[in-house]
Amino acid sequence: MDNKPTILIIIGISGDLSRKKLLPAIGQIFESKMIPEKFKIVGVTRQNDVDINHLLKNTHNKDYLLKNTELFQMDLDDSSDYERLKSHLEKIESEFGESAQYIFYFSIPPNILKSIVELIGKSGLALRENIKLLIEKPFGVDLQSAIDLVSHIDKYFKQEQIYRIDHYLAKETAQNIIVFRNGNSLFKKTWNKDFIEKIEITVSEEIGIEGRVKFYEQTGALRDLIQSHLLQLLALTLMEIPEEGHLNEIPYLRYKALSRLQIVKDSNNFCAKRGQYDSYREEVNNPDSMVETFASINLESDDPKWKGVKIIFNTGKALKDKITFIKILYKKDNEHESNELLLRLQPNEGISFSVWAKNPGYEHKISRHILDFSFKDHYEVLPMAYEQVLFNAIKGDHSLFTLSEEIIETWRILDPLQKEWINQNQDLIIYPKGSDIKDILG
Ligand code: BG6
């Protein structure tokens, strides 16, 4: 356990993410006895009627959270309120009897983030050494805005103070990708274009936009999931393995893998499709909305190790299943040789590998069989991604967070397609809720 006295300042405590993910994750870290002994949550809110009991309604260890959470009402646009916040945090520190690290957690749109970072940066708060900013996606909305946001934050804070969250990096099975690649010589030696034909990453969700109308109308699948989660999973799949004991190099190695990627073009058109589920426009009350709730794109890497390997992303909302996986298809000389490796992120986290073997009996028949491993058969609990996010931020370990260079690369990859989709309005596939990806792609 890292026992640094810590104050977690949640900007927008009544927001969806804080209620559904962050507060439950803190309850869980407490249960695992990994929370610092001196720990306080300060929930910053503009409203003066937030009911903390309601926020913690379905959270484990509610008593611990209630005892250690204070609400702080302030006007986020008023610089003098930041000085008030500073005095409040100092009061908590004096109760601790020693200085604490301040971790600011932001789950707010990029334009608001800019002004709040500036106000914190210009206040006395930024004079402290031990202050960290934990920033949720989306980080920017396109290449230019991400570049602007990075340089804006750089004016006030050092790189090592910033923790950009992509909770997929903290999923147990995502962290396992590097370990699996490195720890199994069969896969380690064949993890390249000479053996691998295709890499497919699918993040399929059963849920729709769940009332997040404003957010989703400004976002869409490309920005919401591909720019972050799918590209990070791909980076973990393609990156070089760090040398033994150099886990801190992981973000830089992911960045290098991302810097070699682009979207495939086929005689001037991007190999990409977008779709929207049938009741979406009604749900957002915008009959002309072109926002994609489904996207499928083909990518390629110009890294000599990966040149020629097909890379396919599929993701969408209101689909048939909730399922996330990375599928690696091996090259074959004939049909009865194809091997497929499946890294399952959810549900039923685990790994399977298909092999061909003779069927028992007099006849010489062969079939495809699956070697399968599920974590749940061997371990009782898999920590939630947000537990690992918070735990690592408290500890100061950056390996599960994204570098600004990575963020800029991801927007660089998507920028030409984003521009094309803004200018076109005929290519949106409308699909019924609950569709299969295969049916959408036709
Ligand atoms: C979030 C997206 O980052 O990830 C959501 O904003 C999406 O739209 C969610 O539903 C999926 O996360 P998970 O962990 O449920 O797969």
Coordinates of all heavy atoms in Angstrom, one line a residue, residues 21 136-137 167-168 171 203 205 207-208 212 215-216 224-225 228-229 317 322 324 346 385-386, ligand 1:
K21 N -18.6 5.1 -11.1 CA -17.3 4.4 -11.1 C -16.4 4.8 -10.0 O -15.8 3.9 -9.4 CB -16.6 4.7 -12.5 CG -17.5 4.3 -13.7 CD -17.3 2.9 -14.1 CE -17.9 2.6 -15.4 NZ -17.9 1.2 -15.8
E136 N -10.2 13.0 -17.2 CA -11.0 12.0 -18.0 C -11.0 12.3 -19.5 O -10.8 13.5 -19.8 CB -12.5 12.0 -17.5 CG -12.8 11.2 -16.4 CD -12.7 9.7 -16.6 OE1 -12.6 9.3 -17.8 OE2 -12.8 9.0 -15.7
K137 N -11.2 11.4 -20.3 CA -11.5 11.6 -21.7 C -12.8 12.3 -21.8 O -13.6 12.2 -20.9 CB -11.4 10.4 -22.5 CG -12.5 9.3 -22.0 CD -12.4 8.1 -22.8 CE -13.4 8.0 -24.0 NZ -14.8 8.0 -23.7
H167 N -9.7 4.4 -19.1 CA -9.9 3.3 -18.1 C -9.6 1.9 -18.8 O -9.4 0.9 -18.1 CB -11.2 3.4 -17.4 CG -12.4 2.9 -18.2 ND1 -13.0 3.7 -19.2 CD2 -13.1 1.8 -18.2 CE1 -14.0 3.0 -19.7 NE2 -14.1 1.9 -19.1
Y168 N -9.7 1.8 -20.1 CA -9.4 0.5 -20.7 C -8.0 0.0 -20.4 O -7.7 -1.2 -20.3 CB -9.6 0.6 -22.2 CG -11.1 0.1 -22.6 CD1 -12.2 0.7 -21.9 CD2 -11.3 -0.9 -23.5 CE1 -13.4 0.2 -22.2 CE2 -12.6 -1.4 -23.8 CZ -13.6 -0.8 -23.1 OH -14.9 -1.2 -23.4
K171 N -7.9 -2.0 -17.4 CA -8.7 -3.2 -17.2 C -7.6 -4.3 -17.1 O -6.6 -4.3 -17.7 CB -9.5 -3.5 -18.5 CG -10.8 -2.6 -18.5 CD -11.7 -3.0 -19.7 CE -12.8 -2.1 -19.8 NZ -13.9 -2.3 -18.9
V203 N -15.4 -3.7 -29.8 CA -16.0 -3.2 -28.6 C -17.4 -3.0 -28.9 O -17.8 -2.0 -29.5 CB -15.3 -1.9 -28.0 CG1 -16.0 -1.5 -26.7 CG2 -13.8 -2.1 -27.8
E205 N -21.4 -2.8 -27.6 CA -22.2 -2.5 -26.4 C -23.6 -2.7 -26.6 O -24.1 -2.4 -27.7 CB -22.0 -1.1 -26.0 CG -20.6 -0.8 -25.5 CD -20.5 0.6 -24.9 OE1 -20.3 1.6 -25.7 OE2 -20.6 0.7 -23.7
I207 N -25.9 -1.4 -24.6 CA -26.6 -0.1 -24.2 C -26.6 0.9 -25.3 O -25.7 0.9 -26.1 CB -26.0 0.5 -22.9 CG1 -24.5 0.7 -23.1 CG2 -26.3 -0.3 -21.7 CD1 -23.8 1.6 -22.0
G208 N -27.6 1.8 -25.2 CA -27.6 2.9 -26.2 C -26.8 4.1 -25.5 O -25.8 3.8 -24.8
R212 N -27.3 10.3 -22.3 CA -26.2 11.3 -22.4 C -26.3 12.1 -23.7 O -25.4 12.1 -24.5 CB -24.8 10.6 -22.3 CG -24.5 9.9 -21.0 CD -23.6 8.7 -21.3 NE -22.2 9.1 -21.3 CZ -21.2 8.4 -21.9 NH1 -21.5 7.3 -22.5 NH2 -20.0 8.8 -21.8
F215 N -23.7 15.1 -24.5 CA -22.4 14.5 -24.7 C -22.3 13.8 -26.0 O -21.4 14.0 -26.8 CB -22.0 13.6 -23.5 CG -20.8 12.7 -23.7 CD1 -19.6 13.2 -23.6 CD2 -21.0 11.4 -24.1 CE1 -18.5 12.4 -23.9 CE2 -19.9 10.6 -24.4 CZ -18.6 11.1 -24.3
Y216 N -23.2 12.9 -26.2 CA -23.1 12.0 -27.4 C -23.3 12.8 -28.7 O -22.6 12.5 -29.7 CB -24.0 10.8 -27.3 CG -23.4 9.6 -28.0 CD1 -22.4 8.9 -27.4 CD2 -23.7 9.4 -29.3 CE1 -21.8 7.8 -28.0 CE2 -23.0 8.3 -30.0 CZ -22.1 7.6 -29.3 OH -21.4 6.5 -30.0
D224 N -15.7 8.8 -29.1 CA -15.9 8.3 -27.7 C -15.1 7.0 -27.5 O -14.6 6.9 -26.4 CB -17.4 7.9 -27.6 CG -17.9 7.5 -26.2 OD1 -17.2 8.0 -25.3 OD2 -18.8 6.8 -26.1
L225 N -15.0 6.1 -28.5 CA -14.4 4.8 -28.2 C -13.1 4.6 -29.0 O -12.2 4.0 -28.5 CB -15.4 3.7 -28.4 CG -16.3 3.6 -27.1 CD1 -17.7 3.2 -27.5 CD2 -15.7 2.6 -26.1
S228 N -9.9 6.6 -28.1 CA -9.3 6.3 -26.9 C -9.1 4.8 -26.8 O -8.1 4.2 -27.1 CB -10.2 6.8 -25.7 OG -11.5 6.4 -26.0
H229 N -10.2 4.1 -26.4 CA -10.1 2.7 -26.0 C -9.5 1.7 -27.1 O -8.6 0.9 -26.8 CB -11.4 2.1 -25.5 CG -12.1 3.0 -24.4 ND1 -11.3 3.8 -23.5 CD2 -13.4 3.2 -24.1 CE1 -12.2 4.4 -22.7 NE2 -13.4 4.1 -23.1
K317 N -22.9 1.1 -30.3 CA -23.9 1.0 -29.2 C -25.2 0.4 -29.7 O -25.4 0.4 -30.9 CB -24.2 2.4 -28.7 CG -23.0 3.0 -28.0 CD -23.4 4.1 -27.0 CE -22.2 4.7 -26.3 NZ -21.7 3.9 -25.2
K322 N -22.8 -7.3 -25.4 CA -21.8 -6.5 -24.7 C -20.6 -7.4 -24.8 O -20.5 -8.4 -24.1 CB -22.2 -6.2 -23.3 CG -21.0 -5.8 -22.3 CD -20.8 -4.3 -22.4 CE -19.7 -3.8 -21.4 NZ -19.2 -2.5 -21.7
T324 N -16.1 -7.3 -25.6 CA -14.9 -6.7 -26.0 C -13.8 -7.7 -26.2 O -13.5 -8.5 -25.3 CB -14.4 -5.6 -25.0 OG1 -15.5 -4.7 -24.7 CG2 -13.2 -4.9 -25.4
Q346 N -14.0 -8.5 -22.0 CA -15.3 -8.6 -21.2 C -16.4 -9.2 -22.2 O -16.3 -8.9 -23.4 CB -15.7 -7.3 -20.6 CG -15.8 -6.2 -21.7 CD -15.9 -4.8 -21.0 OE1 -15.6 -4.6 -19.9 NE2 -16.3 -3.8 -21.8
A385 N -11.5 -1.4 -13.3 CA -10.5 -0.6 -13.9 C -10.3 0.7 -13.1 O -9.1 1.1 -12.9 CB -10.9 -0.2 -15.3
Y386 N -11.4 1.3 -12.6 CA -11.2 2.6 -11.8 C -10.5 2.4 -10.5 O -9.8 3.4 -10.0 CB -12.6 3.3 -11.6 CG -12.9 4.1 -12.8 CD1 -13.5 3.6 -14.0 CD2 -12.5 5.5 -12.9 CE1 -13.7 4.4 -15.1 CE2 -12.7 6.3 -14.0 CZ -13.3 5.7 -15.1 OH -13.5 6.5 -16.2
Ligands
BG6_1 C1 -16.6 5.2 -21.9 C2 -17.6 5.7 -23.0 O1 -15.4 5.7 -22.0 O2 -16.6 3.8 -22.1 C3 -18.9 5.1 -22.9 O3 -17.7 7.1 -22.9 C4 -18.8 3.6 -22.9 O4 -19.7 5.5 -24.0 C5 -17.8 3.1 -21.9 O5 -20.1 3.0 -22.7 C6 -17.5 1.6 -22.0 O6 -16.7 1.2 -20.9 P1 -16.8 -0.3 -20.4 O7 -15.8 -0.4 -19.3 O8 -18.2 -0.5 -19.9 O9 -16.6 -1.2 -21.6

